[in-house]
Amino acid sequence: MATLALVNGKIVTVDERFSVAAAAAIDGDRVTATGTSADILARAGPGTAVVDLRGRTVIPGLIDNHNHFVRAIEHVEVRLEGVRSRADALAALRRGAAALAPGQWLLTLGGWHEEQWTGDRRELTLAELDAVAGGRPAFIQAQYDHAVVNTAWLDAAGAPAGAARTGRIGGGLVALNRAASGFPPPADREAAVRAVMAWYNRLGLTTVFDPGGVGVTEASYATLEAMAARGELTLRVLTTLGDGAGGRGAAHAADLAGRIRRARPFDGGPWYDRIAVGEIYYAAFHWDHQASPPAPSAADIEAAGEILGAAAGAGWPVQTHSVTTSGLDLVFDAYERADRHRPIRPLRWSVTHAEGITAGHLERARRLGITVQLRSQGVIRAGRAAPAPLRLLRDSGLSWGLGTDGTRAAQVSPFVTLGWAVTGRSLGGERTLDEPLTREEALIAHTRSNAYLMFRENDLGSVRPGMLADLLVLDRDYLTVPAAEIGDITPLATMVGGRVVHGSLASLLPCQHGNPVE
Ligand SMILES: [Zn+2]
């Protein structure tokens, strides 16, 4: 007997045939059947809650294959995700500042850029932030491009050279992350985790892969791990063994290789698990990661190879941050050397971002069984970076999926990513993809494909018997709504493991058992 029956809907299962069913049965945390409403009602008993979907569309919970979730819990932020005008941004900051607890700073740490606005796209100014911040120090960061601060921030934090006059602070990932590390942390870290999970669940995210990153250490994950152990997560979080310090040198390589050999992947559970080494494991090897990098030396390449050899030997998946064609050349060379040590195909090693990937790389990737995590590069603005190579990957035969690279470099809404992939247009309306995907391709890339990249293809990514019941009931039909509206789709209910974590099924007018409303 099912605990829950969803009937009279349009359930886009994202199974191998992309089949659509009218109904699904859920028992506890798993889907037990899909089929016609009559099929599913036949499984209903006295203890079954029956929900009439009244034609609404259901899709699998969305999975972000590259989302720096843990950064979002380091500070309480007012976000400018998806805001479409200067006036709306200033209004959001004013509202956000007024709602902050006493002593909290007004912080926005990326995820947006002025170029996503229509109309006036000039950078925010010190005077504007003075006007909206209510006397609080304000630090409003646009992606990793620049930040604008106000007078109270300059008084509290001290002005970097040149900032006193303009309130503008220059960009760069390292400099802006270093600045953020000095801001006040949330008073209650668990409350911060709950708030960010609620935000993600509201957007339709049910699983994220958190790739660590510069400044992120194992201690950053302690709160999440403790909450997972108590069954308090509403978002599945998969993470990495990485290199938070951005280390370099033979001693660093030996240390990390030792940690890799001593640890085991996949020793967590369905809510929290460490599944890969990455995305940064040897600073100099990810040389397109920095603004003006020196190319890695022969010693650097050898040291990175030691880390990769340890990962192959100990059976660890590896995800490598790599963006440019020349950076990818080095990574494929190193992967081929590790593969001679021990075949890496079963470990699904991957390249992450990979905007500079070429047909030559794809051939090497096929031989090694390499997978690719793409990000919605170009969703916020056209920018100078290469667009995501969606069509190249789609036609490659490789396993690849879609993610965001939120929360600082990018926005985190999966529906905004899907809308961008289907229309090829940024939030501000510029064309940033020459050859967009079909809706079906984009949805597969944000669900089932990402489940495979995370070794969760038997649990996540589609609505079919045996899978965990992670799904979304949508306010609009993803498959038929005008393409320009895909980014605005909102889940009426988000379910993770059979439990409603956002919205409510009751709001969908549950019918009496055995008497569904047609
Ligand atoms: Zn990265």
Side-chain angles (χ1 to χ4, degrees):
M1 285 298 151
T3 49
L4 176 66
L6 303 174
V7 300
N8 297 332
K10 177 177 179 180
I11 297 176
V12 181
T13 65
V14 195
D15 63 8
E16 292 293 336
R17 292 178 300 124
F18 207 83
S19 59
V20 175
I26 292 163
D27 187 13
D29 65 351
R30 301 243 171 208
V31 176
T32 53
T34 58
T36 65
S37 295
D39 291 340
I40 297 305
L41 284 171
R43 293 167 169 262
T48 306
V50 178
V51 172
D52 186 343
L53 292 169
R54 303 166 81 214
R56 293 204 193 275
T57 297
V58 171
I59 65 171
L62 294 165
I63 303 173
D64 190 333
N65 69 33
H66 197 89
N67 185 305
H68 293 272
F69 171 81
V70 78
R71 285 207 195 284
I73 62 177
E74 289 169 355
H75 308 283
V76 174
E77 289 183 60
V78 174
R79 299 288 294 189
L80 298 176
E81 314 262 336
V83 170
R84 303 294 177 94
S85 74
R86 181 181 211 86
D88 286 352
L90 290 169
L93 291 172
R94 186 186 295 276
R95 261 196 323 274
L100 290 172
Q104 276 183 349
W105 293 14
L106 176 60
L107 301 174
T108 301
L109 301 175
W112 74 287
H113 192 279
E114 287 90 349
E115 286 183 31
Q116 77 193 35
W117 298 341
T118 51
D120 183 355
R121 291 179 168 180
R122 287 171 303 148
E123 292 179 6
L124 292 172
T125 66
L126 178 143
E128 284 174 317
L129 296 188
D130 279 347
V132 299
R136 298 170 190 276
F139 182 98
I140 310 301
Q141 174 185 330
Q143 295 187 296
Y144 282 117
D145 190 64
H146 62 271
V148 181
V149 302
N150 67 349
T151 304
W153 189 90
L154 292 168
D155 291 345
R165 191 170 44 82
T166 65
R168 186 187 198 276
I169 293 177
L173 179 146
V174 173
L176 288 173
N177 281 339
R178 194 174 290 138
S181 69
F183 297 156
D188 181 342
R189 229 177 128 74
E190 292 193 3
V193 172
R194 283 191 293 274
V196 178
M197 289 193 303
W199 166 33
Y200 279 33
N201 292 154
R202 195 166 64 240
L203 294 174
L205 288 167
T206 56
T207 298
V208 295
F209 176 78
D210 181 295
V214 174
V216 176
T217 66
E218 300 207 8
S220 307
Y221 296 100
T223 308
L224 276 176
E225 233 173 324
M227 291 176 73
R230 297 197 303 265
E232 293 174 6
L233 297 189
T234 65
L235 178 79
R236 304 183 194 280
V237 182
L238 306 172
T239 67
T240 65
L241 183 63
D243 166 30
R248 181 170 194 168
H252 162 73
D255 175 63
L256 183 53
R259 284 167 52 210
I260 288 168
R261 287 190 200 96
R262 287 190 298 276
R264 286 282 164 270
F266 308 114
D267 64 356
W271 290 94
Y272 183 87
D273 200 6
R274 198 158 54 172
I275 65 166
V277 170
E279 72 174 298
I280 307 288
Y281 43 83
Y282 188 90
F285 189 60
H286 311 264
W287 62 307
D288 48 22
H289 174 67
Q290 295 155 41
S292 55
S297 67
D300 288 331
I301 290 168
E302 191 181 321
E306 182 184 348
I307 294 166
L308 291 172
W316 275 90
V318 170
Q319 299 193 7
T320 302
H321 166 107
S322 193
V323 176
T324 62
T325 297
S326 49
L328 285 156
D329 287 342
L330 281 185
V331 173
F332 277 99
D333 289 348
Y335 278 13
E336 282 165 358
R337 283 195 298 277
D339 185 67
R340 288 195 284 275
H341 179 62
R342 179 172 159 176
I344 61 174
R345 177 174 291 278
L347 303 178
R348 302 179 193 171
W349 283 19
S350 67
V351 288
T352 296
H353 314 318
E355 279 92 15
I357 202 163
T358 64
H361 292 139
L362 296 178
E363 189 49 48
R364 298 170 80 180
R366 275 190 288 271
R367 282 200 299 272
L368 296 169
I370 300 301
T371 64
V372 185
Q373 284 106 13
L374 292 184
R375 59 181 166 184
S376 40
Q377 179 79 8
V379 74
I380 292 181
R381 58 181 177 143
R384 284 154 298 174
L390 297 190
R391 277 284 156 186
L392 190 64
L393 264 296
R394 172 205 169 274
D395 297 335
S396 71
L398 296 177
S399 293
W400 63 280
L402 271 176
T404 60
D405 205 11
T407 55
R408 293 185 183 170
Q411 65 86 45
V412 297
S413 165
F415 284 105
V416 168
T417 293
L418 291 170
W420 159 85
V422 169
T423 64
R425 290 186 184 278
S426 69
L427 284 166
E430 278 87 13
R431 185 162 278 287
T432 59
L433 284 173
D434 288 340
E435 295 186 83
L437 300 177
T438 68
R439 294 176 196 231
E440 290 81 359
E441 289 167 346
L443 186 57
I444 290 167
H446 227 318
T447 54
R448 172 153 53 83
S449 297
N450 281 341
Y452 179 84
L453 265 49
M454 298 176 194
F455 294 81
R456 292 296 200 270
E457 68 270 26
N458 294 324
D459 289 314
L460 303 176
S462 57
V463 181
R464 57 183 170 85
M467 305 296 271
L468 287 166
D470 292 10
L471 54 85
L472 314 176
V473 183
L474 304 182
D475 67 339
R476 279 161 274 190
D477 181 7
Y478 168 75
L479 292 179
T480 60
V481 74
E485 282 183 35
I486 290 173
D488 299 324
I489 292 175
T490 305
L492 298 170
T494 299
M495 177 182 288
V496 187
R499 196 155 58 90
V500 175
V501 297
H502 157 73
S504 145
L505 292 175
S507 70
L508 303 170
L509 298 181
C511 54
Q512 276 195 312
H513 165 62
N515 184 26
V517 179
E518 278 302 319

